[in-house]
Amino acid sequence: MYDYDLLVVGSANADLVIGVERRPGAGETVLGSDLAVHPGGKGANQAVAAARLGARTALLARVGDDAHGRLLLDSQREAGVDTVGVLVGGAPTGVALITVDPSGDNSIVVSPGANGRLTPEDVRSAGCLFQGSRVVSAQLEIPLETVVEAVRNLAPRSRFVLNPSPPRPLPREVLAACDPLIVNEHEAKVILGDSAVGDSPEDWARILLAKGPRSVVVTLGGQGALVASSEGVSRVPAVKVDAVDTTGAGDSFTAALACRLGAGESLADAAAYAARVGAATVTRKGAQASFPTAAEVPAP
């Protein structure tokens, strides 16, 4: 019935990465490593991560007609992603400027470029991709109106997964479609806004759930994650690893979760698998280059 296990609607960026001893403060200049250029962007990352895990994956995105765009298309095809939905032209390819410190923490500034030109009309024109996909995932590095249109074009029995990054207030129509809404601590607090009550992730999850999503996942870094639905709230333990670079970890988590949900797993089991995928990701440098195959995911 479905041509794809996962359709990712989202961004595709070239990641320009520099290692630093410490990230600069305001007005400060620091020296860093040689520049490394990697394929990235939350949408492209999720598509590659899913394909590496064996999911039949398609990407709906826009890149520029430039060297960075060709790099991104090549990386998708090499991973086994169907790029029929990747549109070319309209603006330069998006770029992410990333600094990574010795602990593996990163700071990122994104220039959206062609990502900002992925329009609701592009979504409507890709109706066959939506009708043929078991799960659709999205992020917020593309225009919000495009995400809204993706929700409106979902097939009747497909599932919608949203990681609202970078975070912003979400319309009720989008929140109501999320199953789950996947947030970290910062994203949860932005979306909660004035509704933020309580200091525990369990409190955040319950309040987020009351705003309309069918389910919620809160990622907690080294503390694991928690899942919330009408069945209750439960913790997902962290997988202990030595982190080298956290770039892309959230994207691989989301992709793995979406794939497992599409395969019929429970939210808690899918999140536990996704935590193992995310843990494997942070043990290697880079974003897409760090994503594991199914055989490389740590055993429970």
Side-chain angles (χ1 to χ4, degrees), residues 203-258:
D203 290 333
W204 309 335
R206 291 187 183 98
I207 300 167
L208 283 170
L209 201 60
K211 287 181 172 290
R214 302 177 193 182
S215 58
V216 171
V217 175
V218 181
T219 59
L220 301 169
Q223 302 302 311
L226 62 82
V227 300
S229 68
S230 59
E231 298 177 358
V233 181
S234 61
R235 286 265 182 169
V236 176
V239 179
K240 301 300 182 184
V241 294
D242 293 325
V244 173
D245 182 358
T246 60
T247 307
D251 299 328
S252 66
F253 178 98
T254 297
L257 181 74

Tab-separated table of all heavy atoms in Angstrom, residues 203-258:
chain	number	residue	atom	x	y	z
A	203	ASP	N	6.167	17.427	33.803
A	203	ASP	CA	5.202	18.526	33.776
A	203	ASP	C	5.111	19.139	32.378
A	203	ASP	O	4.025	19.405	31.863
A	203	ASP	CB	5.597	19.614	34.783
A	203	ASP	CG	5.431	19.174	36.224
A	203	ASP	OD1	4.584	18.298	36.471
A	203	ASP	OD2	6.140	19.706	37.094
A	204	TRP	N	6.281	19.374	31.756
A	204	TRP	CA	6.277	19.956	30.416
A	204	TRP	C	5.502	19.057	29.459
A	204	TRP	O	4.706	19.537	28.650
A	204	TRP	CB	7.695	20.121	29.886
A	204	TRP	CG	8.648	20.827	30.784
A	204	TRP	CD1	8.347	21.728	31.772
A	204	TRP	CD2	10.073	20.670	30.798
A	204	TRP	NE1	9.502	22.144	32.390
A	204	TRP	CE2	10.569	21.517	31.821
A	204	TRP	CE3	10.969	19.919	30.050
A	204	TRP	CZ2	11.933	21.609	32.095
A	204	TRP	CZ3	12.320	20.005	30.311
A	204	TRP	CH2	12.795	20.847	31.338
A	205	ALA	N	5.771	17.758	29.544
A	205	ALA	CA	5.137	16.818	28.612
A	205	ALA	C	3.620	16.827	28.772
A	205	ALA	O	2.881	16.826	27.781
A	205	ALA	CB	5.695	15.415	28.822
A	206	ARG	N	3.158	16.843	30.015
A	206	ARG	CA	1.704	16.827	30.248
A	206	ARG	C	1.046	18.102	29.722
A	206	ARG	O	-0.042	18.061	29.140
A	206	ARG	CB	1.422	16.653	31.739
A	206	ARG	CG	1.782	15.267	32.276
A	206	ARG	CD	1.314	15.100	33.708
A	206	ARG	NE	1.719	13.810	34.247
A	206	ARG	CZ	2.793	13.615	35.023
A	206	ARG	NH1	3.564	14.653	35.338
A	206	ARG	NH2	3.099	12.420	35.468
A	207	ILE	N	1.715	19.250	29.938
A	207	ILE	CA	1.135	20.509	29.473
A	207	ILE	C	1.159	20.578	27.952
A	207	ILE	O	0.193	21.026	27.315
A	207	ILE	CB	1.877	21.704	30.101
A	207	ILE	CG1	1.766	21.658	31.625
A	207	ILE	CG2	1.304	23.018	29.583
A	207	ILE	CD1	2.714	22.602	32.334
A	208	LEU	N	2.253	20.118	27.352
A	208	LEU	CA	2.309	20.068	25.894
A	208	LEU	C	1.207	19.177	25.338
A	208	LEU	O	0.547	19.524	24.356
A	208	LEU	CB	3.675	19.545	25.434
A	208	LEU	CG	4.844	20.533	25.502
A	208	LEU	CD1	6.159	19.805	25.260
A	208	LEU	CD2	4.669	21.649	24.469
A	209	LEU	N	0.990	18.037	25.974
A	209	LEU	CA	-0.029	17.102	25.512
A	209	LEU	C	-1.409	17.754	25.562
A	209	LEU	O	-2.246	17.525	24.682
A	209	LEU	CB	0.014	15.843	26.380
A	209	LEU	CG	-0.590	14.559	25.813
A	209	LEU	CD1	0.111	14.150	24.529
A	209	LEU	CD2	-0.489	13.448	26.846
A	210	ALA	N	-1.623	18.588	26.562
A	210	ALA	CA	-2.916	19.254	26.698
A	210	ALA	C	-3.154	20.290	25.607
A	210	ALA	O	-4.288	20.727	25.388
A	210	ALA	CB	-3.006	19.927	28.068
A	211	LYS	N	-2.079	20.694	24.909
A	211	LYS	CA	-2.220	21.666	23.831
A	211	LYS	C	-2.681	21.029	22.522
A	211	LYS	O	-2.890	21.745	21.536
A	211	LYS	CB	-0.899	22.409	23.614
A	211	LYS	CG	-0.590	23.413	24.729
A	211	LYS	CD	0.705	24.143	24.448
A	211	LYS	CE	0.924	25.284	25.437
A	211	LYS	NZ	-0.003	26.409	25.255
A	212	GLY	N	-2.788	19.691	22.485
A	212	GLY	CA	-3.373	19.083	21.302
A	212	GLY	C	-2.663	17.935	20.635
A	212	GLY	O	-3.301	17.163	19.910
A	213	PRO	N	-1.318	17.768	20.794
A	213	PRO	CA	-0.677	16.639	20.133
A	213	PRO	C	-1.238	15.301	20.620
A	213	PRO	O	-1.681	15.176	21.765
A	213	PRO	CB	0.799	16.780	20.553
A	213	PRO	CG	0.966	18.204	20.914
A	213	PRO	CD	-0.346	18.626	21.499
A	214	ARG	N	-1.209	14.310	19.749
A	214	ARG	CA	-1.660	12.974	20.145
A	214	ARG	C	-0.650	12.299	21.060
A	214	ARG	O	-1.006	11.447	21.871
A	214	ARG	CB	-1.904	12.133	18.891
A	214	ARG	CG	-2.932	12.760	17.957
A	214	ARG	CD	-3.108	11.959	16.686
A	214	ARG	NE	-3.849	12.726	15.685
A	214	ARG	CZ	-4.175	12.265	14.494
A	214	ARG	NH1	-3.811	11.037	14.125
A	214	ARG	NH2	-4.854	13.037	13.641
A	215	SER	N	0.634	12.676	20.909
A	215	SER	CA	1.676	12.168	21.799
A	215	SER	C	2.836	13.159	21.792
A	215	SER	O	2.948	14.000	20.896
A	215	SER	CB	2.151	10.767	21.380
A	215	SER	OG	2.643	10.769	20.052
A	216	VAL	N	3.685	13.055	22.812
A	216	VAL	CA	4.821	13.961	22.988
A	216	VAL	C	6.042	13.160	23.398
A	216	VAL	O	5.935	12.216	24.205
A	216	VAL	CB	4.515	15.034	24.065
A	216	VAL	CG1	5.770	15.840	24.405
A	216	VAL	CG2	3.397	15.957	23.611
A	217	VAL	N	7.196	13.515	22.854
A	217	VAL	CA	8.471	12.963	23.306
A	217	VAL	C	9.361	14.131	23.689
A	217	VAL	O	9.525	15.076	22.908
A	217	VAL	CB	9.157	12.120	22.217
A	217	VAL	CG1	10.540	11.665	22.667
A	217	VAL	CG2	8.303	10.908	21.847
A	218	VAL	N	9.927	14.091	24.902
A	218	VAL	CA	10.869	15.109	25.351
A	218	VAL	C	12.240	14.457	25.456
A	218	VAL	O	12.421	13.503	26.220
A	218	VAL	CB	10.470	15.700	26.714
A	218	VAL	CG1	11.480	16.782	27.125
A	218	VAL	CG2	9.066	16.286	26.661
A	219	THR	N	13.200	14.941	24.663
A	219	THR	CA	14.556	14.406	24.732
A	219	THR	C	15.338	15.180	25.787
A	219	THR	O	15.227	16.401	25.884
A	219	THR	CB	15.263	14.498	23.373
A	219	THR	OG1	15.315	15.864	22.944
A	219	THR	CG2	14.506	13.675	22.323
A	220	LEU	N	16.146	14.453	26.543
A	220	LEU	CA	16.817	15.034	27.712
A	220	LEU	C	18.323	14.829	27.685
A	220	LEU	O	18.975	14.799	28.732
A	220	LEU	CB	16.225	14.425	28.993
A	220	LEU	CG	14.719	14.624	29.175
A	220	LEU	CD1	14.202	13.760	30.319
A	220	LEU	CD2	14.389	16.091	29.402
A	221	GLY	N	18.895	14.659	26.489
A	221	GLY	CA	20.339	14.504	26.374
A	221	GLY	C	20.844	13.303	27.147
A	221	GLY	O	20.371	12.180	26.979
A	222	GLY	N	21.787	13.567	28.047
A	222	GLY	CA	22.377	12.493	28.834
A	222	GLY	C	21.431	11.863	29.835
A	222	GLY	O	21.757	10.840	30.443
A	223	GLN	N	20.247	12.459	30.015
A	223	GLN	CA	19.256	11.907	30.934
A	223	GLN	C	18.209	11.048	30.219
A	223	GLN	O	17.222	10.628	30.830
A	223	GLN	CB	18.550	13.037	31.684
A	223	GLN	CG	19.494	13.936	32.471
A	223	GLN	CD	20.312	13.158	33.488
A	223	GLN	OE1	19.774	12.371	34.258
A	223	GLN	NE2	21.630	13.369	33.468
A	224	GLY	N	18.418	10.805	28.923
A	224	GLY	CA	17.476	9.953	28.196
A	224	GLY	C	16.342	10.756	27.585
A	224	GLY	O	16.547	11.835	27.019
A	225	ALA	N	15.134	10.255	27.719
A	225	ALA	CA	13.961	10.908	27.145
A	225	ALA	C	12.737	10.484	27.935
A	225	ALA	O	12.816	9.600	28.799
A	225	ALA	CB	13.797	10.536	25.668
A	226	LEU	N	11.617	11.118	27.648
A	226	LEU	CA	10.359	10.615	28.201
A	226	LEU	C	9.293	10.714	27.130
A	226	LEU	O	9.368	11.523	26.202
A	226	LEU	CB	9.951	11.346	29.476
A	226	LEU	CG	9.657	12.835	29.451
A	226	LEU	CD1	8.237	13.111	28.969
A	226	LEU	CD2	9.834	13.425	30.836
A	227	VAL	N	8.310	9.836	27.239
A	227	VAL	CA	7.220	9.798	26.270
A	227	VAL	C	5.908	10.017	27.011
A	227	VAL	O	5.746	9.589	28.157
A	227	VAL	CB	7.191	8.463	25.500
A	227	VAL	CG1	8.494	8.272	24.741
A	227	VAL	CG2	6.953	7.282	26.424
A	228	ALA	N	4.994	10.704	26.346
A	228	ALA	CA	3.700	11.012	26.965
A	228	ALA	C	2.600	10.832	25.928
A	228	ALA	O	2.734	11.256	24.779
A	228	ALA	CB	3.690	12.444	27.500
A	229	SER	N	1.534	10.193	26.356
A	229	SER	CA	0.356	10.023	25.510
A	229	SER	C	-0.850	9.889	26.427
A	229	SER	O	-0.736	10.046	27.655
A	229	SER	CB	0.496	8.777	24.633
A	229	SER	OG	0.456	7.608	25.430
A	230	SER	N	-1.995	9.561	25.859
A	230	SER	CA	-3.195	9.373	26.675
A	230	SER	C	-3.029	8.205	27.641
A	230	SER	O	-3.769	8.093	28.624
A	230	SER	CB	-4.402	9.135	25.778
A	230	SER	OG	-4.196	7.992	24.961
A	231	GLU	N	-2.034	7.353	27.390
A	231	GLU	CA	-1.783	6.201	28.261
A	231	GLU	C	-0.900	6.542	29.451
A	231	GLU	O	-0.689	5.697	30.325
A	231	GLU	CB	-1.152	5.063	27.450
A	231	GLU	CG	-2.059	4.562	26.325
A	231	GLU	CD	-1.393	3.495	25.491
A	231	GLU	OE1	-0.210	3.173	25.754
A	231	GLU	OE2	-2.050	2.975	24.574
A	232	GLY	N	-0.335	7.766	29.478
A	232	GLY	CA	0.491	8.172	30.604
A	232	GLY	C	1.854	8.666	30.171
A	232	GLY	O	2.125	8.837	28.979
A	233	VAL	N	2.724	8.906	31.148
A	233	VAL	CA	4.070	9.427	30.924
A	233	VAL	C	5.080	8.427	31.456
A	233	VAL	O	4.918	7.903	32.568
A	233	VAL	CB	4.268	10.779	31.639
A	233	VAL	CG1	5.665	11.334	31.383
A	233	VAL	CG2	3.212	11.779	31.181
A	234	SER	N	6.130	8.141	30.665
A	234	SER	CA	7.158	7.203	31.120
A	234	SER	C	8.531	7.661	30.651
A	234	SER	O	8.657	8.367	29.647
A	234	SER	CB	6.875	5.789	30.613
A	234	SER	OG	6.875	5.749	29.194
A	235	ARG	N	9.545	7.267	31.381
A	235	ARG	CA	10.923	7.627	31.075
A	235	ARG	C	11.571	6.583	30.164
A	235	ARG	O	11.292	5.391	30.257
A	235	ARG	CB	11.739	7.721	32.362
A	235	ARG	CG	11.446	8.968	33.189
A	235	ARG	CD	12.433	10.070	32.874
A	235	ARG	NE	12.203	11.265	33.688
A	235	ARG	CZ	13.053	12.288	33.748
A	235	ARG	NH1	14.186	12.251	33.057
A	235	ARG	NH2	12.764	13.348	34.475
A	236	VAL	N	12.469	7.067	29.301
A	236	VAL	CA	13.299	6.208	28.464
A	236	VAL	C	14.738	6.439	28.907
A	236	VAL	O	15.241	7.562	28.828
A	236	VAL	CB	13.142	6.556	26.973
A	236	VAL	CG1	14.083	5.724	26.125
A	236	VAL	CG2	11.693	6.354	26.538
A	237	PRO	N	15.420	5.404	29.414
A	237	PRO	CA	16.771	5.614	29.953
A	237	PRO	C	17.772	6.012	28.875
A	237	PRO	O	17.620	5.658	27.693
A	237	PRO	CB	17.125	4.255	30.569
A	237	PRO	CG	16.243	3.271	29.873
A	237	PRO	CD	14.984	4.007	29.556
A	238	ALA	N	18.792	6.748	29.299
A	238	ALA	CA	19.859	7.150	28.384
A	238	ALA	C	20.782	5.975	28.114
A	238	ALA	O	20.858	5.021	28.893
A	238	ALA	CB	20.656	8.304	28.989
A	239	VAL	N	21.490	6.051	26.989
A	239	VAL	CA	22.529	5.079	26.654
A	239	VAL	C	23.866	5.782	26.885
A	239	VAL	O	24.152	6.815	26.272
A	239	VAL	CB	22.404	4.617	25.193
A	239	VAL	CG1	23.504	3.627	24.851
A	239	VAL	CG2	21.025	3.995	24.957
A	240	LYS	N	24.694	5.261	27.767
A	240	LYS	CA	25.939	5.924	28.141
A	240	LYS	C	27.024	5.684	27.095
A	240	LYS	O	27.368	4.541	26.788
A	240	LYS	CB	26.426	5.405	29.510
A	240	LYS	CG	25.430	5.628	30.641
A	240	LYS	CD	25.112	7.104	30.841
A	240	LYS	CE	24.146	7.329	32.010
A	240	LYS	NZ	23.773	8.751	32.150
A	241	VAL	N	27.530	6.768	26.513
A	241	VAL	CA	28.619	6.709	25.541
A	241	VAL	C	29.524	7.910	25.775
A	241	VAL	O	29.167	8.854	26.472
A	241	VAL	CB	28.098	6.731	24.085
A	241	VAL	CG1	27.308	5.469	23.759
A	241	VAL	CG2	27.265	7.972	23.822
A	242	ASP	N	30.713	7.878	25.181
A	242	ASP	CA	31.613	9.026	25.205
A	242	ASP	C	31.317	9.879	23.974
A	242	ASP	O	31.632	9.490	22.847
A	242	ASP	CB	33.078	8.572	25.196
A	242	ASP	CG	33.458	7.855	26.494
A	242	ASP	OD1	32.940	8.262	27.553
A	242	ASP	OD2	34.246	6.895	26.434
A	243	ALA	N	30.704	11.037	24.181
A	243	ALA	CA	30.292	11.891	23.066
A	243	ALA	C	31.506	12.573	22.437
A	243	ALA	O	32.367	13.114	23.125
A	243	ALA	CB	29.301	12.932	23.544
A	244	VAL	N	31.555	12.534	21.116
A	244	VAL	CA	32.585	13.220	20.338
A	244	VAL	C	32.012	14.457	19.665
A	244	VAL	O	32.634	15.514	19.635
A	244	VAL	CB	33.179	12.263	19.279
A	244	VAL	CG1	34.127	13.005	18.339
A	244	VAL	CG2	33.895	11.095	19.952
A	245	ASP	N	30.788	14.355	19.146
A	245	ASP	CA	30.153	15.460	18.423
A	245	ASP	C	28.648	15.216	18.430
A	245	ASP	O	28.185	14.187	17.935
A	245	ASP	CB	30.693	15.507	16.987
A	245	ASP	CG	30.126	16.661	16.169
A	245	ASP	OD1	29.285	17.419	16.692
A	245	ASP	OD2	30.529	16.802	15.000
A	246	THR	N	27.894	16.150	19.012
A	246	THR	CA	26.447	15.954	19.124
A	246	THR	C	25.685	16.403	17.875
A	246	THR	O	24.461	16.252	17.816
A	246	THR	CB	25.887	16.728	20.333
A	246	THR	OG1	26.168	18.125	20.168
A	246	THR	CG2	26.515	16.238	21.630
A	247	THR	N	26.389	16.932	16.858
A	247	THR	CA	25.720	17.385	15.645
A	247	THR	C	24.916	16.246	15.016
A	247	THR	O	25.441	15.169	14.757
A	247	THR	CB	26.747	17.907	14.617
A	247	THR	OG1	27.573	18.874	15.235
A	247	THR	CG2	26.042	18.519	13.422
A	248	GLY	N	23.645	16.489	14.763
A	248	GLY	CA	22.814	15.499	14.080
A	248	GLY	C	22.176	14.469	14.973
A	248	GLY	O	21.365	13.657	14.496
A	249	ALA	N	22.496	14.475	16.267
A	249	ALA	CA	21.953	13.440	17.154
A	249	ALA	C	20.434	13.524	17.248
A	249	ALA	O	19.737	12.500	17.218
A	249	ALA	CB	22.578	13.552	18.541
A	250	GLY	N	19.908	14.745	17.356
A	250	GLY	CA	18.460	14.894	17.422
A	250	GLY	C	17.784	14.450	16.139
A	250	GLY	O	16.688	13.874	16.166
A	251	ASP	N	18.439	14.678	15.003
A	251	ASP	CA	17.865	14.263	13.723
A	251	ASP	C	17.834	12.747	13.581
A	251	ASP	O	16.853	12.178	13.096
A	251	ASP	CB	18.655	14.878	12.574
A	251	ASP	CG	18.628	16.397	12.602
A	251	ASP	OD1	17.614	16.961	13.053
A	251	ASP	OD2	19.614	17.017	12.177
A	252	SER	N	18.908	12.087	14.011
A	252	SER	CA	18.914	10.622	13.917
A	252	SER	C	17.906	10.012	14.886
A	252	SER	O	17.256	9.009	14.574
A	252	SER	CB	20.320	10.061	14.172
A	252	SER	OG	20.751	10.293	15.498
A	253	PHE	N	17.739	10.639	16.061
A	253	PHE	CA	16.724	10.187	17.025
A	253	PHE	C	15.337	10.267	16.389
A	253	PHE	O	14.559	9.305	16.427
A	253	PHE	CB	16.790	11.045	18.288
A	253	PHE	CG	15.765	10.690	19.333
A	253	PHE	CD1	16.115	9.877	20.408
A	253	PHE	CD2	14.453	11.166	19.264
A	253	PHE	CE1	15.171	9.539	21.376
A	253	PHE	CE2	13.510	10.832	20.217
A	253	PHE	CZ	13.876	10.008	21.282
A	254	THR	N	15.014	11.417	15.802
A	254	THR	CA	13.694	11.609	15.208
A	254	THR	C	13.446	10.629	14.071
A	254	THR	O	12.366	10.039	13.959
A	254	THR	CB	13.549	13.051	14.710
A	254	THR	OG1	13.646	13.946	15.824
A	254	THR	CG2	12.227	13.276	14.013
A	255	ALA	N	14.443	10.443	13.214
A	255	ALA	CA	14.292	9.527	12.081
A	255	ALA	C	14.057	8.100	12.557
A	255	ALA	O	13.179	7.393	12.042
A	255	ALA	CB	15.525	9.594	11.192
A	256	ALA	N	14.850	7.680	13.541
A	256	ALA	CA	14.703	6.321	14.053
A	256	ALA	C	13.344	6.114	14.702
A	256	ALA	O	12.694	5.082	14.511
A	256	ALA	CB	15.819	6.017	15.054
A	257	LEU	N	12.908	7.099	15.455
A	257	LEU	CA	11.598	7.021	16.102
A	257	LEU	C	10.491	6.913	15.059
A	257	LEU	O	9.591	6.066	15.162
A	257	LEU	CB	11.383	8.248	16.978
A	257	LEU	CG	10.071	8.315	17.749
A	257	LEU	CD1	10.097	7.337	18.917
A	257	LEU	CD2	9.807	9.722	18.260
A	258	ALA	N	10.553	7.764	14.036
A	258	ALA	CA	9.528	7.752	12.998
A	258	ALA	C	9.478	6.412	12.281
A	258	ALA	O	8.394	5.865	12.017
A	258	ALA	CB	9.795	8.881	12.001
